[in-house]
Amino acid sequence: MAKTPAWTRKEGKDSKGGLNAKGRASAKAQGMNLKPPAPNPKNKKDAGRRKSFCARMSGMPGPMKDEKGKPTRKALSLRAWNC
């Protein structure tokens, strides 16, 4: 039985939010084009990517903390992007 791609499992996810390099590589193998977060953009293109990501993710439903008081994946990714 084949394993699921790393981006869907814990080993492909970054503990600070988003995907790590292994997760992005496994997503690329499936035809996705994912780039690392751009919290401090150095050019106009990355600034637009950051602005778009923050607008989309900030509007997502769901809590910022789970029942144990820990930040959710949503909160971690917003923090990783400096939203």
Side-chain angles (χ1 to χ4, degrees), residues 20-76:
N20 59 22
K22 187 174 186 176
R24 284 191 299 274
S26 72
K28 189 170 187 85
Q30 292 194 329
M32 297 177 205
N33 183 21
L34 301 177
K35 298 175 186 174
N40 303 310
K42 294 180 177 36
N43 58 36
K44 213 171 197 175
K45 192 172 184 181
D46 282 347
R49 230 172 37 117
R50 179 182 169 272
K51 185 176 179 181
S52 175
F53 176 84
C54 292
R56 282 182 287 123
M57 280 301 287
S58 297
M60 288 286 176
M64 295 298 273
K65 292 189 177 187
D66 64 6
E67 58 278 348
K68 294 180 183 176
K70 293 182 180 179
T72 59
R73 300 286 303 167
K74 173 186 169 182
L76 291 172

Side-chain angles (χ1 to χ4, degrees), residues 7 11 13 15 21 27 38 41-42 45 58-59 61-62 66 70 81-82:
W7 67 272
E11 69 184 53
K13 296 179 181 179
S15 60
K42 294 180 177 36
K45 192 172 184 181
S58 297
D66 64 6
K70 293 182 180 179
W81 281 77
N82 278 346

